[in-house]
Amino acid sequence: MPIRAVLWDIDDTLFDYTGADAAGLAAQLEAVRLAERYGTPVQALARWREITDRHWARFAAGVGTFQGQRQERVREFLDEPRMTAAEADAWFDSYVEHYKAAWTVFPDVVPALDALAADYRHGVLSNSSTANQDPKLRHLGLRERFEVLVCAVELGVSKPEAEAFLAACEALGLPPEEVAYVGDQPEIDARGARDAGLLAVWIDRDGLRGPGPEGAHRIEGLDRLPELLARDTRFGARSGIR
């Protein structure tokens, strides 16, 4: 059965989230004169991302509010537990402005979407929220390319759970065996999609993270995606692509 649609992850798949986050945080720390506090920019970003991932996971699990998790991230990052909600909001809003100024899509995204437009339907499955991702896709000029936008916060279940992938397939009106999923995380995206019955495609842009889960197809650039989708790779056929 041929692939009829592609579901996409957003952050670090379509959108250079890591690059924007690094630039935004560095600019924010410079603006508030804390650039030297965390050592190198790499160290600062690592701390910010670890805090972000932990608080977002709690929120995605139903603990707290969207705005509350932002406030807690700022308090922990700055080591200021008594910071008021208004102060934390102001700090985070300033960071967001710097972060948004660095938003960009990867250079292979639009060419790949153009190459696939005539033959495949497209949707998005993200572990974020619609409130986050819909404006982002619109700002980047990509929203109209996707029929559906399915996000974990509204869905109530996150990748790598099969229910998340199956809900996105249902939104497209297609069975999972007719859908490919493209994402940058080997476990959350590739293994999760594979286990849910989709064609799993792992985009490993730096090419340094190993072979990935068995049964998932690893590519280092989206220019390889049209070739992969055109072949029957789900049932043991060799794709010629790592």
Side-chain angles (χ1 to χ4, degrees), residues 182-203:
V182 182
D184 71 295
Q185 295 294 324
E187 296 299 319
I188 292 173
D189 293 322
R191 188 182 299 276
R194 180 204 67 186
D195 290 351
L198 290 75
L199 176 69
V201 183
W202 173 37
I203 175 72

Side-chain angles (χ1 to χ4, degrees), residues 10-206:
I10 298 177
D11 295 341
D12 282 331
T13 297
L14 299 170
F15 159 66
D16 186 4
Y17 169 63
T18 294
D21 200 20
L25 182 63
Q28 172 65 4
L29 292 178
E30 188 68 33
V32 297
R33 299 182 180 181
L34 290 176
E36 306 301 321
R37 178 172 176 176
Y38 300 95
T40 68
V42 172
Q43 291 171 318
L45 180 64
R47 174 171 168 77
W48 176 247
R49 292 291 290 270
E50 186 276 326
I51 291 169
T52 295
D53 291 347
R54 182 158 31 83
H55 284 280
W56 184 265
R58 294 181 72 250
F59 170 63
V63 180
T65 65
F66 177 76
Q67 200 65 22
Q69 59 86 23
R70 286 185 163 188
Q71 294 161 3
E72 289 304 314
R73 285 157 59 187
V74 173
R75 292 185 182 112
E76 184 173 347
F77 183 70
L78 298 178
D79 195 23
E80 294 186 20
R82 296 185 180 180
M83 177 179 273
T84 67
E87 290 169 337
D89 287 343
W91 198 97
F92 198 94
D93 288 346
S94 178
Y95 152 74
V96 166
E97 289 305 308
H98 295 300
Y99 164 63
K100 285 183 175 180
W103 280 5
T104 186
V105 297
F106 289 105
D108 58 358
V109 168
V110 171
L113 290 171
D114 285 345
L116 297 171
D119 297 318
Y120 302 93
R121 298 165 60 196
H122 296 273
V124 167
L125 172 61
S126 168
N127 265 4
S128 185
S129 67
T130 302
N132 258 353
Q133 302 296 45
D134 187 82
K136 182 188 296 177
L137 289 173
R138 293 185 187 281
H139 178 88
L140 296 170
L142 297 179
R143 181 63 185 89
E144 297 307 314
R145 292 182 178 262
F146 304 107
E147 293 181 32
V148 299
L149 170 59
V150 179
C151 291
V153 170
E154 290 77 22
L155 188 60
V157 63
S158 303
K159 301 176 295 180
E161 297 300 321
E163 291 83 358
F165 293 96
L166 296 178
C169 292
E170 184 177 353
L172 286 169
L174 293 173
E177 60 267 23
E178 295 184 9
V179 181
Y181 190 82
V182 182
D184 71 295
Q185 295 294 324
E187 296 299 319
I188 292 173
D189 293 322
R191 188 182 299 276
R194 180 204 67 186
D195 290 351
L198 290 75
L199 176 69
V201 183
W202 173 37
I203 175 72
D204 178 21
R205 293 186 182 279
D206 59 23

